[in-house]
Structures are given as structure tokens and as C-alpha cells.
Amino acid sequence: MENSTPVHIELITVITQPDGSKEEFTLTSAGEWMTKNNIDYLKYEESQEAGTVRTIVKMEEDQAVILRSGALKMRLAFRTGEAMMSTYESEYGTLSLVTQTKRYTHRSTEGNAGTFHVNYGLEMAGSPVGNYDMTIKYKEAVST
């Protein structure tokens, strides 16, 4: 990415299943942050059992998109109060997903830091998968 800033990323996702049970996942990673045409982007990688997953988070004022590629391919779209079509590619083909965004915020602060937060319901093939509460905190990585 051009004019990118190295950042430290902390991602916390809390998933509430339809039966009420909860799971929490935390990821810390090195990444990049940049602004292009007044749109902020975060880019990072994570290692999973299936391989490396590259993630790009595109954060606009009233909507966001998370693009994941590599060992996992997924596109999740968010706009508060709207049902947005999304996709997940598996070895069995492409599955249609729907995100119902309840809350979306993105705030950046001085010093190349910020917080991205989205709370959404996820449906696959018309059935609820769960409620997701995702927060990504990022700050400029200080080289020592």
C-alpha cells in the first residue's frame, strides 16, 4: 500500500450464538494503515490452521467492508441499519451471507491510531449464525 504506516493491531471478536452461548477471540498482529481518497484502510495477516489469511478493512464514514483472502475468502459489508449481501467462499462453492449491522463506528486519533467497531447479526442461507461484536484497535508501531 502506498504511504502506509506500520501499526500494531489488536482485534477482539465476541460471538453470541443463537442459543445464547458466547465465544471470544483475540488477535494481535502487525499491520499497515493508510488513507486514500478520504477512506481509511487497515491491512494485516493472520495464521490459521488452513494457512495465512490476508485481511483488508475499508472504513468509510457510513459503511465498511472487510475483505479476507488466502486460506479463507470472505467479503463482509456493513452499513448501520441495513442488511448487506456478503459472501464466503469454501471448497463447496460460494455461500451467500447477510450482515445486519446494528452499530458501526470508526474513530481515528492523532498519531496514526484509531478504533474500528462493528456489531452485526450474521445470516447464512437465511438462518441466523450469531451476533458478532468486533473491535479493532490500532496504533502506529514504534520502531526501537
Side-chain angles (χ1 to χ4, degrees), residues 54-116:
R54 290 174 300 284
T55 301
I56 296 174
V57 183
K58 179 181 177 185
M59 301 167 282
E60 296 183 61
E61 187 175 328
D62 64 342
Q63 64 184 358
V65 176
I66 296 176
L67 300 168
R68 303 181 83 192
S69 62
L72 172 78
K73 290 188 179 181
M74 183 181 282
R75 179 186 184 279
L76 296 174
F78 307 101
R79 184 178 290 150
T80 302
E82 290 190 32
M84 303 287 285
M85 294 302 297
S86 298
T87 56
Y88 171 74
E89 290 183 35
S90 73
E91 63 268 25
Y92 307 110
T94 301
L95 300 171
S96 292
L97 305 174
V98 175
T99 57
Q100 183 68 48
T101 308
K102 297 172 178 123
R103 185 165 176 242
Y104 162 65
T105 58
H106 172 246
R107 289 185 299 281
S108 52
T109 58
E110 296 289 324
N112 296 326
T115 302
F116 165 86

